[in-house]
Amino acid sequence: QVQLVESGGGSVQAGGSLRLSCVVSGLTYSGNYIGWFRQVPGKEREGLALIDTDTEMPLYADSVKGRLTISQDKAKTTVYLQSNSLKSEDTAKYYCAAVRRFFPRSLAPGRFNYWGQGTQVTVSS
């Protein structure tokens, strides 16, 4: 079955960096978008970035442009999210998700079919 497994979360000081990983299995890796999302209890899930597994073209939410970088290692079917200059408001549970490519591209969580269990990121000031 399709599995997405996130790792790399943890506690970090404000201003620090983290790299999250998402290992994808159980589906043909090419032809998909793999996205990163986050959610704080009581709030809606927020789309952060996605990568096209064929073209490697990224899409970023305006709110995080310049601080996040999404990348992939096709051989490892793994997508990364590098987060820099972390702020306390970045504290959330971070999820990765997958969907077959669609146009126009969107970071709407409802467009994504397969989800991981999430990894917690806590940023202390």
Side-chain angles (χ1 to χ4, degrees), residues 81-111:
L81 185 71
Q82 177 71 39
S83 306
N84 299 323
S85 303
L86 286 163
K87 307 173 185 178
S88 57
E89 50 264 44
D90 293 317
T91 294
K93 195 162 188 180
Y94 285 70
Y95 300 86
C96 62
V99 66
R100 296 297 290 175
R101 298 165 86 207
F102 62 88
F103 300 95
R105 301 188 302 169
S106 167
L107 287 168
R111 299 299 302 265

Side-chain angles (χ1 to χ4, degrees), residues 1-9 19-27 29 34-37 71 73 76-81 93-98 114-120:
Q1 74 274 23
V2 179
Q3 278 194 311
L4 293 92
V5 180
E6 304 95 337
S7 62
R19 188 176 82 156
L20 306 181
S21 300
C22 172
V23 179
V24 181
S25 62
L27 54 75
Y29 188 74
I34 308 298
W36 281 98
F37 302 80
S71 61
D73 184 331
K76 295 181 179 179
T77 64
T78 299
V79 173
Y80 304 99
L81 185 71
K93 195 162 188 180
Y94 285 70
Y95 300 86
C96 62
Y114 304 104
W115 291 84
Q117 294 299 305
T119 185
Q120 178 68 35

Side-chain angles (χ1 to χ4, degrees), residues 53-74:
T53 60
D54 287 351
T55 67
E56 296 196 340
M57 185 173 294
L59 174 68
Y60 294 100
D62 288 342
S63 58
V64 297
K65 264 182 192 174
R67 292 198 301 123
L68 300 186
T69 303
I70 192 169
S71 61
Q72 67 173 356
D73 184 331
K74 279 187 177 181

